[in-house]
Amino acid sequence: MNVTEHYRESVQEVMKKLDVTQHGLTDYEVRMRHKKYGYNELKEGKQKNAVQIFLEQFKDFLVIILIAAAVISMFLGDFDSSIVIIVVITLNAVLGTIQHIKAEKSLNSLKELAAPISKVLRNGQVVEIPSREVIVGDILLLEAGDFISADGRVTESYNLQINESSLTGESLAIHKMVSTINEEELALGDRKNMVFSGSFVTNGRGQAIVTSIGMNTEIGKIASLLDSAKEKKTPLQVSLEQFGKRLAIGIIILCVIILALDLIRGRELVDSFMFAVSLAVAAIPEALSSIVTIVLAFGTQNMAKENAIMRKLHAVESLGSVSIICSDKTGTLTQNKMTVQKVFLGEEIFSYDQLQMNNGLHKKLVDMALLCNDAIIADGKQIGDPTELALVNLGQEYQLNERIIRGLHNRVGEIPFDSTRKLMSTVNRMGNHYVMITKGAVDVLLPHISKIETSNGSSVIRKQQLEKIQEATHTLSNDGLRVLAIAYKDVSSPRISENDENNFTFVGLIAMMDPPREESAQAVADCIEAGIKPVMITGDHKITATAIAKQIGILKDPSEAIEGKEIDKLSDKELREKVEHISVYARVSPEHKIRIVKAWQEKGHVVAMTGDGVNDAPALKQADIGVAMGKTGTEVAKDASSMILTDDNFLTIVKAISNGRSIYANIKNSIMFLLSGNAGAIFVVLYATLFALPVPFAPEHLLFINLLTDSLPAIAIGLERHNKKIMKEKPRNIHEPLLNKKFASQVGFEGLVIAAVTIIAFQSGLSTGDTTVGTTMAFATLCLSRLFHGFNCRSEQSIFKIGIFTNLTVWIAFLIGFTLLNLVLITGLFESAVLNHTQLLTVYGLAFIPVIIIQIDKIFFRTNE
């Protein structure tokens, strides 16, 4: 039998199989087992060192071409160009290395979850040992507050309650039992006779025999999934990678052709090489990756102000492509706090806020709920079981303090809650007599009811009244509510036993749930309007999950909800076919979550996955965008995620997606600016080649343009203000390349316009008989026209529609570039000639012409696009 099925074995069978006695292991047995099983620790996969990561940054095709251009320039004696190129690509590599190292922390956080010390029984004695030394067969001793260091089968339980929310997603503590469970394929949350590493004891005490350690525990399986889950490249990274390869191939072919033409025409080899290098430098947008990184960095700062912290820079633009949000329920869509919703009294169902404390029956129900209860609120802190705290909070709604009520009616006897009985009973002094109050599961308590309390006093319960109670229980349960029954009877003595739990008078039902966050419904509605499908994935029960999903608008048809055991029966292909028709997944495991995310991804969708527990971490890493909760999230979930919500607010995800879409649009406009300007330079070089003219630009000129006067406007374009209308559009198609037909034709058109005015300036300068004047006028016109072009590239729309002065950073970038250019022209730096006033005015006039042409095109020909 598999270790995960020990819940189907009796305690005696487990002890016999593991060869353990009630006295625990001996020292000799421990040594032998450590040789067999190893130590209780999570193993790390082989990780790359910083040097390897740094060297990988140079794999990009465009970077390789730039390195080649730098080397050739160095051999030809042009050291300035070589140094500038090498500095730029090295800075980019350093930045990429830092980002990669920061991102890889998930497994380390998993290791930190392990409890440092565990109490075990060895040689018949209780000893404390490092959790690393816990071994299969050890008997763990568990008390309230203890973290559990290994998986095990419960052998003793005295009201043992364990919080497994980080593994299962359930907010309620699980009452553990000893008896065997004869069911197959049980979800973790239903294995009530097992304990799991990474969870902790909230109440009671008990013992468990260790069945799995290290990587074989449930948390170890998650570590394996986390290590194997592959992080996805963002759509922009994929687009830029594809674009880079195509551009690189095109540049190589073009350079070879031009080099061959020059040599055929009899030009010197050195001059021909410099001409080819000049073309390569003109064609490659050296600052592209730096500018994209800077724009993303500014975007993440703005998002952080809106409670969304981006851990992975390039994931920002992926937000704009998100078409599916797979959300955990507990603490993400809900408040992670049990709250009373409805009560059943006198054959009627009321909302919790419709109770009247001047009504004796209503007051009695709340009083008894507070008396048969161990939870308290002290100094603003809530202490106790979430279910009991919900009852205490109900009392607070009506200014009933649990400590005052308990002081008036002292508890003199009790039978603690037991998961087998599913009941809790107390004896409280009421004046001169004793009253036994019992709360618990309706199906358990109802057979022990003989009377019913009404506003007119108590009377023998009739069959019709029993049926109404059962009907109300069914109605409340179908609404996803957890239902408790409250009953009482008079007793003669404070000494009670389980045999006294009968002949009760029924008072009422109290129904509670972990309610949705107030903003969840609006967030879901906003997602749907933006073309994004929200999907709930939870470890909770199906009825509870579907009730919440209906309330917030995720679920329309009950047939769209399934459980984890149904997923197990589906092949990956069947799941892919079915995934689009499912909105709620209940009782799921970490493996299920990854399968669901992968199924959506294989259908071509960009998936965001939200979560806060350890059980969510593998799926968070597998998703295109992993979103962890900042307040309630475990460190494992945070480290596996791309984004952390500091307010744990689902609505923040929608805002982040909106920002992501705007950032992508701005990046695309920045790339348009860079490529159309570079296209202009290429066309000018090609013109010079075809007509056997001198080289129009020195490499220094092109680097000046690309690194100084291009970079600032491109960054400024990337900071264009947020467009709210963008959330009315559908998510963009990730399979559509960045350089599609429309984008390429626009780049070509704008590049030709810039090239045309640059060629005119070049010919004008050459007509003076001085080649240097010709190259200087070509350089100045290309540089200034690209600075003006920054205003064109702010948006698809005309600057008159979006506002000329709505982005002041573009103006600042223009003025800086304009000043630097004039400094070069006045001083004659970078092998430039000093231009006279007429030549300067010619440059200014020609450079402004593309703005007029492109704005006319946008106003009259792109209006309906």
Side-chain angles (χ1 to χ4, degrees):
M1 183 177 291
N2 191 288
V3 289
T4 57
E5 295 180 338
H6 282 304
Y7 64 87
R8 297 176 60 197
E9 299 175 321
S10 68
V11 171
Q12 291 74 23
E13 287 173 325
V14 174
M15 293 187 79
K16 184 179 178 181
K17 182 175 285 187
L18 298 178
D19 193 20
V20 185
T21 69
Q22 60 184 1
H23 300 294
L25 299 172
T26 64
D27 292 339
Y28 173 77
E29 288 172 326
V30 169
R31 287 195 300 273
M32 291 300 101
R33 292 185 185 216
H34 276 311
K35 289 180 181 178
K36 180 180 179 181
Y37 296 105
Y39 286 87
N40 184 30
E41 56 191 0
L42 300 178
K43 294 179 174 59
E44 291 188 59
K46 190 176 180 181
Q47 295 185 344
K48 296 173 185 174
N49 59 41
V51 175
Q52 288 174 308
I53 296 166
F54 176 75
L55 292 175
E56 283 185 355
Q57 307 301 310
F58 295 94
K59 285 183 177 179
D60 187 86
F61 258 37
L62 291 177
V63 173
I64 292 168
I65 291 176
L66 281 175
I67 293 171
V71 171
I72 292 169
S73 296
M74 195 177 294
F75 274 114
L76 298 175
D78 191 0
F79 293 102
D80 291 345
S81 299
S82 301
I83 291 168
V84 174
I85 294 171
I86 290 168
V87 167
V88 170
I89 59 178
T90 302
L91 285 174
N92 284 333
V94 169
L95 189 63
T97 304
I98 292 168
Q99 285 297 123
H100 186 98
I101 291 171
K102 282 185 176 179
E104 290 300 316
K105 293 179 182 177
S106 303
L107 204 55
N108 290 333
S109 293
L110 269 174
K111 292 175 76 175
E112 290 169 10
L113 264 187
I117 299 293
S118 294
K119 292 191 289 288
V120 297
L121 196 63
R122 286 185 179 172
N123 303 305
Q125 302 290 321
V126 177
V127 293
E128 287 190 344
I129 61 170
S131 291
R132 179 178 179 272
E133 295 180 8
V134 170
I135 195 68
V136 173
D138 264 330
I139 296 175
L140 286 175
L141 278 69
L142 306 172
E143 296 177 347
D146 287 350
F147 273 88
I148 297 169
S149 58
D151 291 1
R153 172 69 164 83
V154 177
T155 57
E156 290 184 14
S157 175
Y158 301 95
N159 197 27
L160 180 64
Q161 299 177 39
I162 295 179
N163 186 309
E164 297 173 350
S165 61
S166 64
L167 281 165
T168 65
E170 285 195 68
S171 54
L172 291 174
I174 307 297
H175 289 83
K176 294 297 178 178
M177 62 184 191
V178 177
S179 57
T180 306
I181 303 173
N182 292 315
E183 290 185 43
E184 294 184 12
E185 299 178 359
L186 274 186
L188 288 184
D190 294 325
R191 299 176 193 177
K192 296 184 178 180
N193 57 10
M194 298 289 292
V195 296
F196 302 105
S197 177
S199 54
F200 62 94
V201 182
T202 59
N203 202 7
R205 60 185 177 84
Q207 289 186 10
I209 183 169
V210 174
T211 56
S212 302
I213 62 168
M215 297 301 286
N216 291 320
T217 61
E218 294 300 324
I219 200 173
K221 292 174 186 175
I222 292 173
S224 298
L225 287 171
L226 198 57
D227 203 32
S228 62
K230 294 180 179 178
E231 292 186 43
K232 303 279 289 183
K233 285 188 177 180
T234 71
L236 182 62
Q237 284 176 313
V238 173
S239 288
L240 289 177
E241 194 175 273
Q242 292 172 347
F243 164 72
K245 287 179 180 177
R246 289 171 186 166
L247 182 62
I249 293 166
I251 289 167
I252 291 169
I253 293 169
L254 203 57
C255 287
V256 169
I257 291 170
I258 287 173
L259 181 62
L261 283 172
D262 271 5
L263 291 173
I264 290 168
R265 285 175 177 168
R267 183 177 284 185
E268 290 293 325
L269 181 61
V270 173
D271 292 337
S272 298
F273 262 122
M274 285 307 300
F275 203 85
V277 169
S278 176
L279 179 62
V281 174
I284 297 172
E286 289 90 344
L288 180 58
S289 70
S290 299
I291 288 164
V292 169
T293 301
I294 292 166
V295 171
L296 290 173
F298 275 112
T300 58
Q301 288 179 12
N302 293 331
M303 290 170 73
K305 294 174 186 175
E306 295 187 355
N307 302 308
I309 297 172
M310 298 303 302
R311 292 188 64 255
K312 297 167 185 176
L313 206 57
H314 281 278
V316 176
E317 58 84 21
S318 287
L319 284 165
S321 304
V322 167
S323 52
I324 306 295
I325 299 180
C326 295
S327 175
D328 188 31
K329 176 184 73 67
T330 306
T332 306
L333 293 165
T334 65
Q335 298 174 18
N336 199 18
K337 174 185 174 184
M338 291 299 287
T339 308
V340 174
Q341 300 291 307
K342 294 180 181 179
V343 295
F344 174 78
L345 283 164
E347 302 184 6
E348 282 187 75
I349 294 177
F350 296 89
S351 173
Y352 77 95
D353 55 0
Q354 292 178 323
L355 294 173
Q356 298 172 4
M357 291 303 102
N358 56 2
N359 182 309
L361 180 59
H362 292 201
K363 178 73 161 53
K364 179 175 279 190
L365 178 73
V366 178
D367 281 352
M368 288 186 169
L370 296 177
L371 292 171
C372 187
N373 192 322
D374 293 324
I376 59 168
I377 298 177
D379 300 323
K381 293 183 179 179
Q382 301 194 349
I383 304 167
D385 180 82
T387 301
E388 294 194 331
L389 281 168
L391 301 176
V392 171
N393 284 318
L394 177 65
Q396 298 275 343
E397 288 281 335
Y398 293 97
Q399 288 75 51
L400 295 176
N401 186 288
E402 73 280 1
R403 283 175 290 179
I404 294 173
I405 298 294
R406 292 168 193 169
L408 292 172
H409 308 290
N410 291 330
R411 184 186 296 184
V412 291
E414 69 178 292
I415 307 174
F417 180 86
D418 183 278
S419 58
T420 304
R421 285 170 37 248
K422 297 183 179 179
L423 297 174
M424 174 183 177
S425 297
T426 63
V427 178
N428 296 80
R429 193 187 298 276
M430 300 279 187
N432 297 321
H433 67 288
Y434 301 117
V435 175
M436 178 179 177
I437 304 168
T438 299
K439 78 171 191 294
V442 183
D443 59 334
V444 175
L445 192 54
L446 215 53
H448 302 286
I449 298 293
S450 58
K451 295 182 179 180
I452 186 169
E453 188 83 7
T454 66
S455 298
N456 301 318
S458 62
S459 59
V460 176
I461 194 164
R462 302 190 305 275
K463 182 181 178 182
Q464 185 182 4
Q465 290 171 316
L466 273 172
E467 287 174 351
K468 284 198 172 181
I469 295 170
Q470 290 170 332
E471 185 182 330
T473 303
H474 183 72
T475 300
L476 295 168
S477 296
N478 282 348
D479 288 339
L481 301 175
R482 186 181 185 199
V483 186
L484 286 178
I486 306 283
Y488 78 96
K489 73 174 185 178
D490 293 334
V491 290
S492 57
S493 167
R495 295 177 182 175
I496 56 172
S497 68
E498 293 178 17
N499 295 327
D500 294 307
E501 291 178 329
N502 53 47
N503 295 318
F504 287 115
T505 299
F506 176 82
V507 180
L509 304 175
I510 299 178
M512 60 190 74
M513 74 184 308
D514 178 10
R517 291 173 174 271
E518 291 180 9
E519 65 279 355
S520 290
Q522 183 59 52
V524 168
D526 289 346
C527 283
I528 294 169
E529 185 182 21
I532 302 165
K533 180 179 174 68
V535 177
M536 180 189 287
I537 304 179
T538 177
D540 217 333
H541 291 279
K542 187 175 178 179
I543 291 175
T544 307
T546 53
I548 295 289
K550 281 180 182 177
Q551 284 186 47
I552 61 179
I554 286 178
L555 187 69
K556 304 296 182 186
D557 187 334
S559 67
E560 294 178 3
I562 68 170
E563 290 190 331
K565 59 185 179 183
E566 296 174 65
I567 300 174
D568 287 330
K569 296 173 184 176
L570 299 174
S571 66
D572 289 343
K573 184 181 178 183
E574 289 170 331
L575 182 59
R576 275 199 306 273
E577 291 171 355
K578 199 169 183 178
V579 74
E580 291 181 331
H581 308 290
I582 302 171
S583 299
V584 174
Y585 297 86
R587 304 307 272 171
V588 295
S589 68
E591 291 92 342
H592 294 145
K593 292 181 180 183
I594 284 190
R595 284 189 68 196
I596 294 163
V597 171
K598 281 183 176 177
W600 277 114
Q601 288 173 334
E602 287 166 6
K603 297 284 280 188
H605 291 274
V606 175
V607 183
M609 170 76 192
T610 75
D612 55 5
V614 176
N615 61 321
D616 297 319
L620 288 173
K621 190 173 181 182
Q622 174 66 39
D624 299 277
I625 296 287
V627 184
M629 302 298 113
K631 289 182 179 178
T632 58
T634 60
E635 286 305 309
V636 183
K638 292 175 187 175
D639 285 343
S641 67
S642 310
M643 180 168 79
I644 299 172
L645 305 182
T646 57
D647 59 356
D648 287 15
N649 190 331
F650 187 81
L651 189 60
T652 303
I653 302 171
V654 183
K655 292 179 182 176
I657 289 172
S658 179
N659 279 321
R661 289 187 179 187
S662 289
I663 289 168
Y664 179 81
N666 291 343
I667 287 173
K668 193 173 180 180
N669 289 335
S670 293
I671 293 171
M672 169 64 72
F673 168 76
L674 291 171
L675 296 186
S676 54
N678 281 18
I682 293 169
F683 291 143
V684 175
V685 173
L686 286 173
Y687 171 83
T689 304
L690 291 172
F691 292 95
L693 297 173
V695 179
F697 314 110
E700 290 90 341
H701 290 158
L702 294 166
L703 283 171
F704 177 88
I705 294 170
N706 288 345
L707 297 179
L708 297 176
T709 58
D710 261 9
S711 298
L712 292 177
I715 293 167
I717 291 165
L719 302 180
E720 190 71 26
R721 64 182 182 176
H722 180 62
N723 180 3
K724 293 181 180 178
K725 290 182 180 179
I726 206 160
M727 284 302 280
K728 305 291 183 184
E729 302 170 4
K730 289 184 179 180
R732 75 177 190 276
N733 184 356
I734 58 165
H735 300 295
E736 185 178 359
L738 179 68
L739 197 64
N740 56 30
K741 188 176 180 182
K742 179 186 172 185
F743 191 84
S745 61
Q746 198 172 325
V747 166
F749 167 70
E750 293 176 6
L752 280 171
V753 174
I754 292 169
V757 296
T758 305
I759 289 167
I760 293 169
F762 184 40
Q763 291 286 18
S764 175
L766 290 177
S767 66
T768 64
D770 188 341
T771 302
T772 308
V773 173
T775 57
T776 302
M777 288 187 70
F779 154 65
T781 306
L782 179 65
C783 186
L784 187 55
S785 63
R786 291 175 77 161
L787 287 171
F788 278 126
H789 191 47
F791 294 98
N792 292 325
C793 293
R794 285 177 53 199
S795 169
E796 277 286 307
Q797 299 172 317
S798 165
I799 55 172
F800 300 106
K801 194 166 186 178
I802 62 172
I804 297 172
F805 297 102
T806 51
N807 186 347
L808 293 179
T809 52
V810 173
W811 281 96
I812 293 169
F814 172 80
L815 291 172
I816 292 171
F818 184 75
T819 303
L820 290 172
L821 174 62
N822 280 280
L823 185 64
V824 170
L825 297 177
I826 292 168
T827 58
L829 292 171
F830 296 111
E831 299 182 11
S832 299
V834 178
L835 302 182
N836 60 38
H837 294 299
T838 304
Q839 290 165 340
L840 279 173
L841 289 174
T842 302
V843 167
Y844 295 161
L846 287 169
F848 190 70
I849 290 173
V851 176
I852 300 168
I853 295 171
I854 293 168
Q855 287 303 312
I856 289 171
D857 176 56
K858 289 192 175 190
I859 293 169
F860 295 105
F861 300 102
R862 297 191 207 172
T863 308
N864 298 320
E865 287 187 8

